Amino acid sequence: MRVVVTDAEVTLADVLSLRLAIEEPLREGTELVLRHRATGVERDVLLGTPGARTREASLAVSLAPLMLSPGRWDAYLRRDGKRSRLRSIDPGFSLDHLDAYALCKRTLAYRSYRTRNGFLALKIADAEPAAEVRSIWFREGRFEVMGLLAYTGLEDDDSRHEARLALQREQPTGTTIRTVATVQGVRFHAAFSLVDVVEADPESSGVWEPSLEVEGVSTPMALGARLDDIDGKRRRLHYPSARVDGVAVRPAYTAEDELRIEVGR
């Protein structure tokens, strides 16, 4: 029996909502199987008979009770002991939905997506409060960054929160510089002088880690970019550098998609 996912979404309540194109109703005893790609651990959900319509069915599976660990989970249907991967034609990406999903305070973030080979899968990641970068640029001798606060539980309103942007030099010096940042609701904007960065460390070469300290959030938030469909930004996104007194300064991402400021490299 041919089954294809035409629409897939993880709702704000962490429910996997699927719409299926099917040739006949799913038989009683059909299971949805989620398999962890790295470990092979499996979780299964008995589907039963979702409906009497022969060309379409809708499913809703609550993910939290399944105790899924971080990583990639591939989706299968199992019938009569036989298992097949669940095909999908839904790209499973909406920036607006990801923004809305990130407004809630969470410990795990679930996302459905279509693999390169056209199958349904889930990506699950730890969801600590973070400063999600949406735009960065150099102008008038400054580095500026704007973005969205994710998984903090703060309201998306006009409330202003005291905030500071901190830049910490990686080892060996451990130097830190701070500047005032603007946070309104869950939107933030911050800027710092490139001259201050270069002069803060006499070696004038190294990597700085930015973080955002916001009133109402217990821990500093790393700056990164994960609420999109671009993995591996260090390979794919390359920013031009600015020069301050002959020293190159440029933004770059790590392999984990966290933002860094590289000086003299």
Side-chain angles (χ1 to χ4, degrees):
M1 180 179 65
R2 185 172 183 269
V3 180
V4 177
V5 176
T6 58
D7 185 77
E9 180 183 71
V10 176
T11 70
L12 301 184
D14 290 335
V15 172
L16 177 61
S17 176
L18 300 177
R19 188 161 62 243
L20 309 178
I22 58 177
E23 295 175 343
E24 59 186 55
L26 299 179
R27 294 190 299 271
E28 186 174 357
T30 300
E31 295 174 300
L32 174 68
V33 179
L34 298 174
R35 185 177 189 275
H36 194 280
R37 193 174 297 173
T39 66
V41 170
E42 294 186 356
R43 299 286 187 267
D44 55 76
V45 179
L46 184 63
L47 301 180
T49 306
R53 300 180 64 181
T54 60
R55 295 188 180 277
E56 184 175 312
S58 297
L59 303 175
V61 177
S62 181
L63 297 174
L66 299 180
M67 304 295 290
L68 303 176
S69 59
R72 308 268 180 168
W73 293 76
D74 295 308
Y76 298 80
L77 281 185
R78 183 162 58 202
R79 302 182 296 269
D80 301 327
K82 297 180 180 180
R83 185 178 68 182
S84 59
R85 290 189 70 178
L86 192 51
R87 290 199 168 274
S88 175
I89 60 173
D90 178 17
F93 175 75
S94 165
L95 185 58
D96 290 340
H97 174 75
L98 292 178
D99 282 357
Y101 186 85
L103 292 180
C104 297
K105 191 170 185 178
R106 305 176 184 276
T107 56
L108 286 177
Y110 304 86
R111 185 192 304 182
S112 63
Y113 71 100
R114 183 183 63 191
T115 69
R116 292 181 180 179
N117 295 327
F119 297 103
L120 178 68
L122 294 178
K123 178 182 179 182
I124 303 174
D126 293 320
E128 298 178 349
E132 179 72 12
V133 175
R134 284 294 157 80
S135 59
I136 55 180
W137 62 92
F138 291 126
R139 61 182 176 187
E140 298 178 353
R142 299 184 303 171
F143 172 81
E144 297 191 38
V145 58
M146 296 179 62
L148 171 81
L149 302 183
Y151 310 123
T152 63
L154 296 178
E155 295 293 331
D156 186 12
D157 54 22
D158 293 331
S159 301
R160 290 188 174 271
H161 307 275
E162 291 186 6
R164 294 187 300 175
L165 176 68
L167 287 176
Q168 184 171 10
R169 172 77 152 78
E170 290 185 347
Q171 297 299 326
T173 65
T175 304
T176 301
I177 58 177
R178 289 179 172 85
T179 186
V180 174
T182 299
V183 173
Q184 183 170 334
V186 294
R187 317 290 166 173
F188 72 88
H189 172 265
F192 57 82
S193 167
L194 297 178
V195 172
D196 291 345
V197 176
V198 171
E199 292 182 349
D201 193 327
E203 294 182 4
S204 296
S205 179
V207 178
W208 294 78
E209 300 178 357
S211 61
L212 195 64
E213 303 165 353
V214 179
E215 173 193 15
V217 181
S218 59
T219 59
M221 292 172 283
L223 270 66
R226 297 188 176 94
L227 298 182
D228 54 33
D229 61 344
I230 305 174
D231 291 326
K233 292 181 178 64
R234 186 166 185 84
R235 301 188 312 273
R236 301 184 181 187
L237 295 181
H238 301 280
Y239 296 98
S241 61
R243 300 198 71 84
V244 179
D245 295 333
V247 178
V249 183
R250 73 180 183 97
Y253 286 99
T254 68
E256 292 75 33
D257 291 337
E258 290 193 350
L259 183 65
R260 296 290 186 266
I261 306 300
E262 297 181 349
V263 178
R265 293 192 170 191

mmCIF file of all heavy atoms in Angstrom, residues 113-149:
data_model
loop_
_atom_site.group_PDB
_atom_site.id
_atom_site.type_symbol
_atom_site.label_atom_id
_atom_site.label_comp_id
_atom_site.label_asym_id
_atom_site.label_seq_id
_atom_site.Cartn_x
_atom_site.Cartn_y
_atom_site.Cartn_z
ATOM 1 N N TYR A 113 10.912 17.236 9.218
ATOM 2 C CA TYR A 113 11.493 17.695 7.955
ATOM 3 C C TYR A 113 11.532 16.549 6.957
ATOM 4 O O TYR A 113 11.325 15.381 7.311
ATOM 5 C CB TYR A 113 12.897 18.263 8.173
ATOM 6 C CG TYR A 113 13.961 17.246 8.511
ATOM 7 C CD1 TYR A 113 14.846 16.763 7.545
ATOM 8 C CD2 TYR A 113 14.094 16.760 9.813
ATOM 9 C CE1 TYR A 113 15.822 15.835 7.860
ATOM 10 C CE2 TYR A 113 15.070 15.831 10.133
ATOM 11 C CZ TYR A 113 15.927 15.370 9.156
ATOM 12 O OH TYR A 113 16.895 14.449 9.469
ATOM 13 N N ARG A 114 11.777 16.892 5.711
ATOM 14 C CA ARG A 114 11.934 15.896 4.651
ATOM 15 C C ARG A 114 13.414 15.703 4.371
ATOM 16 O O ARG A 114 14.147 16.666 4.166
ATOM 17 C CB ARG A 114 11.217 16.364 3.380
ATOM 18 C CG ARG A 114 11.263 15.357 2.229
ATOM 19 C CD ARG A 114 10.591 15.945 0.995
ATOM 20 N NE ARG A 114 11.308 17.130 0.521
ATOM 21 C CZ ARG A 114 10.848 17.957 -0.401
ATOM 22 N NH1 ARG A 114 9.658 17.756 -0.938
ATOM 23 N NH2 ARG A 114 11.557 19.001 -0.785
ATOM 24 N N THR A 115 13.866 14.468 4.356
ATOM 25 C CA THR A 115 15.272 14.194 4.084
ATOM 26 C C THR A 115 15.570 14.446 2.609
ATOM 27 O O THR A 115 14.675 14.614 1.789
ATOM 28 C CB THR A 115 15.628 12.743 4.430
ATOM 29 O OG1 THR A 115 14.976 11.866 3.496
ATOM 30 C CG2 THR A 115 15.194 12.391 5.851
ATOM 31 N N ARG A 116 16.853 14.447 2.283
ATOM 32 C CA ARG A 116 17.252 14.666 0.893
ATOM 33 C C ARG A 116 16.698 13.585 -0.034
ATOM 34 O O ARG A 116 16.468 13.832 -1.220
ATOM 35 C CB ARG A 116 18.781 14.701 0.789
ATOM 36 C CG ARG A 116 19.411 15.908 1.467
ATOM 37 C CD ARG A 116 20.915 15.885 1.300
ATOM 38 N NE ARG A 116 21.547 17.028 1.950
ATOM 39 C CZ ARG A 116 22.857 17.244 1.982
ATOM 40 N NH1 ARG A 116 23.674 16.379 1.379
ATOM 41 N NH2 ARG A 116 23.355 18.299 2.585
ATOM 42 N N ASN A 117 16.472 12.401 0.500
ATOM 43 C CA ASN A 117 15.948 11.302 -0.312
ATOM 44 C C ASN A 117 14.428 11.232 -0.322
ATOM 45 O O ASN A 117 13.852 10.316 -0.911
ATOM 46 C CB ASN A 117 16.514 9.962 0.185
ATOM 47 C CG ASN A 117 18.009 9.869 -0.007
ATOM 48 O OD1 ASN A 117 18.547 10.415 -0.967
ATOM 49 N ND2 ASN A 117 18.694 9.195 0.908
ATOM 50 N N GLY A 118 13.767 12.205 0.349
ATOM 51 C CA GLY A 118 12.322 12.289 0.288
ATOM 52 C C GLY A 118 11.569 11.480 1.329
ATOM 53 O O GLY A 118 10.448 11.015 1.063
ATOM 54 N N PHE A 119 12.142 11.349 2.541
ATOM 55 C CA PHE A 119 11.476 10.621 3.613
ATOM 56 C C PHE A 119 11.218 11.556 4.797
ATOM 57 O O PHE A 119 11.912 12.553 4.987
ATOM 58 C CB PHE A 119 12.315 9.434 4.079
ATOM 59 C CG PHE A 119 12.530 8.388 3.017
ATOM 60 C CD1 PHE A 119 13.749 8.303 2.357
ATOM 61 C CD2 PHE A 119 11.528 7.495 2.683
ATOM 62 C CE1 PHE A 119 13.966 7.348 1.383
ATOM 63 C CE2 PHE A 119 11.724 6.534 1.698
ATOM 64 C CZ PHE A 119 12.942 6.457 1.045
ATOM 65 N N LEU A 120 10.221 11.183 5.619
ATOM 66 C CA LEU A 120 9.908 11.965 6.803
ATOM 67 C C LEU A 120 10.892 11.649 7.926
ATOM 68 O O LEU A 120 11.237 10.486 8.161
ATOM 69 C CB LEU A 120 8.486 11.654 7.286
ATOM 70 C CG LEU A 120 8.042 12.374 8.566
ATOM 71 C CD1 LEU A 120 7.892 13.869 8.322
ATOM 72 C CD2 LEU A 120 6.748 11.776 9.101
ATOM 73 N N ALA A 121 11.342 12.697 8.622
ATOM 74 C CA ALA A 121 12.237 12.512 9.764
ATOM 75 C C ALA A 121 11.970 13.616 10.781
ATOM 76 O O ALA A 121 11.334 14.634 10.477
ATOM 77 C CB ALA A 121 13.693 12.526 9.326
ATOM 78 N N LEU A 122 12.454 13.396 11.990
ATOM 79 C CA LEU A 122 12.380 14.389 13.057
ATOM 80 C C LEU A 122 13.784 14.780 13.487
ATOM 81 O O LEU A 122 14.681 13.928 13.552
ATOM 82 C CB LEU A 122 11.631 13.835 14.277
ATOM 83 C CG LEU A 122 10.151 13.520 14.144
ATOM 84 C CD1 LEU A 122 9.641 12.935 15.458
ATOM 85 C CD2 LEU A 122 9.361 14.755 13.783
ATOM 86 N N LYS A 123 13.963 16.057 13.767
ATOM 87 C CA LYS A 123 15.207 16.537 14.368
ATOM 88 C C LYS A 123 14.863 17.030 15.763
ATOM 89 O O LYS A 123 13.969 17.861 15.934
ATOM 90 C CB LYS A 123 15.812 17.675 13.539
ATOM 91 C CG LYS A 123 17.084 18.247 14.151
ATOM 92 C CD LYS A 123 17.629 19.402 13.314
ATOM 93 C CE LYS A 123 18.881 19.993 13.931
ATOM 94 N NZ LYS A 123 19.393 21.147 13.150
ATOM 95 N N ILE A 124 15.559 16.501 16.758
ATOM 96 C CA ILE A 124 15.296 16.866 18.146
ATOM 97 C C ILE A 124 16.579 17.418 18.750
ATOM 98 O O ILE A 124 17.657 16.830 18.612
ATOM 99 C CB ILE A 124 14.802 15.645 18.949
ATOM 100 C CG1 ILE A 124 13.551 15.067 18.284
ATOM 101 C CG2 ILE A 124 14.509 16.035 20.392
ATOM 102 C CD1 ILE A 124 13.075 13.791 18.918
ATOM 103 N N ALA A 125 16.462 18.570 19.424
ATOM 104 C CA ALA A 125 17.645 19.222 19.993
ATOM 105 C C ALA A 125 17.311 19.780 21.363
ATOM 106 O O ALA A 125 16.147 20.097 21.658
ATOM 107 C CB ALA A 125 18.131 20.341 19.075
ATOM 108 N N ASP A 126 18.335 19.890 22.209
ATOM 109 C CA ASP A 126 18.151 20.575 23.484
ATOM 110 C C ASP A 126 17.756 22.027 23.219
ATOM 111 O O ASP A 126 18.246 22.648 22.268
ATOM 112 C CB ASP A 126 19.438 20.525 24.305
ATOM 113 C CG ASP A 126 19.776 19.113 24.760
ATOM 114 O OD1 ASP A 126 18.852 18.378 25.149
ATOM 115 O OD2 ASP A 126 20.973 18.743 24.715
ATOM 116 N N ALA A 127 16.874 22.559 24.048
ATOM 117 C CA ALA A 127 16.333 23.901 23.801
ATOM 118 C C ALA A 127 16.600 24.809 24.994
ATOM 119 O O ALA A 127 15.687 25.153 25.742
ATOM 120 C CB ALA A 127 14.838 23.830 23.502
ATOM 121 N N GLU A 128 17.849 25.182 25.158
ATOM 122 C CA GLU A 128 18.198 26.167 26.180
ATOM 123 C C GLU A 128 17.953 27.569 25.634
ATOM 124 O O GLU A 128 17.962 27.772 24.413
ATOM 125 C CB GLU A 128 19.667 26.010 26.572
ATOM 126 C CG GLU A 128 20.006 24.662 27.178
ATOM 127 C CD GLU A 128 21.476 24.540 27.500
ATOM 128 O OE1 GLU A 128 22.243 25.431 27.059
ATOM 129 O OE2 GLU A 128 21.859 23.564 28.178
ATOM 130 N N PRO A 129 17.703 28.557 26.513
ATOM 131 C CA PRO A 129 17.541 29.928 26.029
ATOM 132 C C PRO A 129 18.718 30.344 25.153
ATOM 133 O O PRO A 129 19.884 30.072 25.477
ATOM 134 C CB PRO A 129 17.485 30.747 27.322
ATOM 135 C CG PRO A 129 16.933 29.791 28.332
ATOM 136 C CD PRO A 129 17.523 28.456 27.974
ATOM 137 N N ALA A 130 18.418 30.993 24.026
ATOM 138 C CA ALA A 130 19.461 31.370 23.072
ATOM 139 C C ALA A 130 19.083 32.659 22.367
ATOM 140 O O ALA A 130 17.906 33.013 22.272
ATOM 141 C CB ALA A 130 19.681 30.260 22.047
ATOM 142 N N ALA A 131 20.093 33.360 21.886
ATOM 143 C CA ALA A 131 19.895 34.567 21.085
ATOM 144 C C ALA A 131 20.072 34.174 19.622
ATOM 145 O O ALA A 131 21.193 33.956 19.171
ATOM 146 C CB ALA A 131 20.889 35.647 21.488
ATOM 147 N N GLU A 132 18.967 34.079 18.918
ATOM 148 C CA GLU A 132 18.964 33.631 17.529
ATOM 149 C C GLU A 132 19.283 34.809 16.610
ATOM 150 O O GLU A 132 18.536 35.789 16.545
ATOM 151 C CB GLU A 132 17.595 33.048 17.179
ATOM 152 C CG GLU A 132 17.438 32.567 15.772
ATOM 153 C CD GLU A 132 18.188 31.280 15.479
ATOM 154 O OE1 GLU A 132 18.658 30.626 16.441
ATOM 155 O OE2 GLU A 132 18.300 30.918 14.290
ATOM 156 N N VAL A 133 20.387 34.721 15.886
ATOM 157 C CA VAL A 133 20.855 35.804 15.023
ATOM 158 C C VAL A 133 20.054 35.816 13.728
ATOM 159 O O VAL A 133 19.909 34.797 13.062
ATOM 160 C CB VAL A 133 22.348 35.644 14.715
ATOM 161 C CG1 VAL A 133 22.809 36.696 13.710
ATOM 162 C CG2 VAL A 133 23.166 35.735 16.001
ATOM 163 N N ARG A 134 19.553 37.006 13.361
ATOM 164 C CA ARG A 134 18.840 37.150 12.099
ATOM 165 C C ARG A 134 19.581 38.041 11.104
ATOM 166 O O ARG A 134 19.437 37.890 9.901
ATOM 167 C CB ARG A 134 17.428 37.706 12.368
ATOM 168 C CG ARG A 134 16.506 36.639 12.926
ATOM 169 C CD ARG A 134 16.269 35.552 11.874
ATOM 170 N NE ARG A 134 15.870 34.286 12.439
ATOM 171 C CZ ARG A 134 14.649 34.002 12.834
ATOM 172 N NH1 ARG A 134 13.714 34.914 12.766
ATOM 173 N NH2 ARG A 134 14.377 32.814 13.312
ATOM 174 N N SER A 135 20.355 38.987 11.573
ATOM 175 C CA SER A 135 21.146 39.806 10.645
ATOM 176 C C SER A 135 22.362 40.356 11.376
ATOM 177 O O SER A 135 22.298 40.691 12.565
ATOM 178 C CB SER A 135 20.311 40.954 10.060
ATOM 179 O OG SER A 135 19.817 41.798 11.072
ATOM 180 N N ILE A 136 23.474 40.433 10.660
ATOM 181 C CA ILE A 136 24.701 41.014 11.187
ATOM 182 C C ILE A 136 25.358 41.844 10.086
ATOM 183 O O ILE A 136 25.239 41.520 8.903
ATOM 184 C CB ILE A 136 25.680 39.932 11.694
ATOM 185 C CG1 ILE A 136 25.979 38.899 10.591
ATOM 186 C CG2 ILE A 136 25.143 39.239 12.922
ATOM 187 C CD1 ILE A 136 26.914 37.820 11.029
ATOM 188 N N TRP A 137 26.032 42.926 10.487
ATOM 189 C CA TRP A 137 26.706 43.761 9.502
ATOM 190 C C TRP A 137 27.724 44.672 10.178
ATOM 191 O O TRP A 137 27.673 44.911 11.385
ATOM 192 C CB TRP A 137 25.702 44.591 8.696
ATOM 193 C CG TRP A 137 24.890 45.566 9.483
ATOM 194 C CD1 TRP A 137 25.183 46.867 9.731
ATOM 195 C CD2 TRP A 137 23.628 45.330 10.136
ATOM 196 N NE1 TRP A 137 24.197 47.464 10.489
ATOM 197 C CE2 TRP A 137 23.229 46.541 10.740
ATOM 198 C CE3 TRP A 137 22.787 44.212 10.261
ATOM 199 C CZ2 TRP A 137 22.047 46.652 11.472
ATOM 200 C CZ3 TRP A 137 21.610 44.330 10.977
ATOM 201 C CH2 TRP A 137 21.250 45.548 11.566
ATOM 202 N N PHE A 138 28.672 45.157 9.382
ATOM 203 C CA PHE A 138 29.623 46.179 9.801
ATOM 204 C C PHE A 138 29.180 47.523 9.225
ATOM 205 O O PHE A 138 28.842 47.610 8.045
ATOM 206 C CB PHE A 138 31.033 45.877 9.265
ATOM 207 C CG PHE A 138 31.691 44.692 9.886
ATOM 208 C CD1 PHE A 138 32.181 43.660 9.109
ATOM 209 C CD2 PHE A 138 31.840 44.612 11.259
ATOM 210 C CE1 PHE A 138 32.811 42.573 9.678
ATOM 211 C CE2 PHE A 138 32.470 43.521 11.843
ATOM 212 C CZ PHE A 138 32.950 42.500 11.052
ATOM 213 N N ARG A 139 29.213 48.550 10.011
ATOM 214 C CA ARG A 139 28.990 49.900 9.493
ATOM 215 C C ARG A 139 29.493 50.913 10.516
ATOM 216 O O ARG A 139 29.372 50.725 11.718
ATOM 217 C CB ARG A 139 27.527 50.151 9.157
ATOM 218 C CG ARG A 139 26.543 50.051 10.309
ATOM 219 C CD ARG A 139 25.126 50.279 9.801
ATOM 220 N NE ARG A 139 24.128 50.112 10.854
ATOM 221 C CZ ARG A 139 22.816 50.130 10.623
ATOM 222 N NH1 ARG A 139 22.361 50.299 9.384
ATOM 223 N NH2 ARG A 139 21.973 49.980 11.608
ATOM 224 N N GLU A 140 30.076 51.982 9.994
ATOM 225 C CA GLU A 140 30.582 53.096 10.802
ATOM 226 C C GLU A 140 31.486 52.610 11.926
ATOM 227 O O GLU A 140 31.408 53.083 13.065
ATOM 228 C CB GLU A 140 29.407 53.913 11.367
ATOM 229 C CG GLU A 140 28.543 54.547 10.273
ATOM 230 C CD GLU A 140 27.356 55.301 10.836
ATOM 231 O OE1 GLU A 140 27.126 55.216 12.073
ATOM 232 O OE2 GLU A 140 26.656 55.964 10.057
ATOM 233 N N GLY A 141 32.341 51.643 11.625
ATOM 234 C CA GLY A 141 33.308 51.172 12.603
ATOM 235 C C GLY A 141 32.722 50.299 13.698
ATOM 236 O O GLY A 141 33.381 50.056 14.721
ATOM 237 N N ARG A 142 31.504 49.812 13.487
ATOM 238 C CA ARG A 142 30.857 48.983 14.497
ATOM 239 C C ARG A 142 30.420 47.646 13.900
ATOM 240 O O ARG A 142 30.187 47.539 12.697
ATOM 241 C CB ARG A 142 29.624 49.687 15.077
ATOM 242 C CG ARG A 142 29.892 51.004 15.768
ATOM 243 C CD ARG A 142 28.629 51.546 16.384
ATOM 244 N NE ARG A 142 27.562 51.706 15.382
ATOM 245 C CZ ARG A 142 26.295 52.011 15.680
ATOM 246 N NH1 ARG A 142 25.940 52.155 16.945
ATOM 247 N NH2 ARG A 142 25.407 52.162 14.732
ATOM 248 N N PHE A 143 30.304 46.670 14.778
ATOM 249 C CA PHE A 143 29.664 45.418 14.428
ATOM 250 C C PHE A 143 28.278 45.438 15.045
ATOM 251 O O PHE A 143 28.117 45.702 16.239
ATOM 252 C CB PHE A 143 30.456 44.224 14.968
ATOM 253 C CG PHE A 143 29.746 42.913 14.793
ATOM 254 C CD1 PHE A 143 29.783 42.248 13.580
ATOM 255 C CD2 PHE A 143 29.034 42.355 15.843
ATOM 256 C CE1 PHE A 143 29.124 41.051 13.412
ATOM 257 C CE2 PHE A 143 28.380 41.144 15.687
ATOM 258 C CZ PHE A 143 28.425 40.488 14.457
ATOM 259 N N GLU A 144 27.234 45.175 14.250
ATOM 260 C CA GLU A 144 25.864 45.187 14.750
ATOM 261 C C GLU A 144 25.208 43.841 14.510
ATOM 262 O O GLU A 144 25.466 43.171 13.503
ATOM 263 C CB GLU A 144 25.045 46.293 14.070
ATOM 264 C CG GLU A 144 25.570 47.690 14.361
ATOM 265 C CD GLU A 144 24.605 48.773 13.910
ATOM 266 O OE1 GLU A 144 23.379 48.575 14.062
ATOM 267 O OE2 GLU A 144 25.068 49.808 13.396
ATOM 268 N N VAL A 145 24.338 43.462 15.434
ATOM 269 C CA VAL A 145 23.637 42.186 15.335
ATOM 270 C C VAL A 145 22.190 42.372 15.805
ATOM 271 O O VAL A 145 21.918 43.108 16.753
ATOM 272 C CB VAL A 145 24.355 41.102 16.170
ATOM 273 C CG1 VAL A 145 24.466 41.511 17.634
ATOM 274 C CG2 VAL A 145 23.650 39.754 16.041
ATOM 275 N N MET A 146 21.266 41.728 15.094
ATOM 276 C CA MET A 146 19.851 41.758 15.457
ATOM 277 C C MET A 146 19.320 40.329 15.446
ATOM 278 O O MET A 146 19.833 39.463 14.715
ATOM 279 C CB MET A 146 19.045 42.609 14.469
ATOM 280 C CG MET A 146 19.422 44.066 14.439
ATOM 281 S SD MET A 146 18.443 44.992 13.216
ATOM 282 C CE MET A 146 16.785 44.775 13.887
ATOM 283 N N GLY A 147 18.294 40.084 16.272
ATOM 284 C CA GLY A 147 17.741 38.741 16.272
ATOM 285 C C GLY A 147 16.589 38.560 17.230
ATOM 286 O O GLY A 147 15.944 39.521 17.666
ATOM 287 N N LEU A 148 16.353 37.293 17.563
ATOM 288 C CA LEU A 148 15.180 36.857 18.323
ATOM 289 C C LEU A 148 15.631 36.029 19.518
ATOM 290 O O LEU A 148 16.510 35.167 19.381
ATOM 291 C CB LEU A 148 14.282 36.014 17.409
ATOM 292 C CG LEU A 148 13.105 35.274 18.033
ATOM 293 C CD1 LEU A 148 11.940 36.252 18.218
ATOM 294 C CD2 LEU A 148 12.666 34.118 17.130
ATOM 295 N N LEU A 149 15.023 36.264 20.679
ATOM 296 C CA LEU A 149 15.306 35.443 21.852
ATOM 297 C C LEU A 149 14.462 34.173 21.780
ATOM 298 O O LEU A 149 13.238 34.244 21.630
ATOM 299 C CB LEU A 149 14.996 36.204 23.136
ATOM 300 C CG LEU A 149 15.742 37.527 23.333
ATOM 301 C CD1 LEU A 149 15.393 38.129 24.684
ATOM 302 C CD2 LEU A 149 17.243 37.322 23.219
#
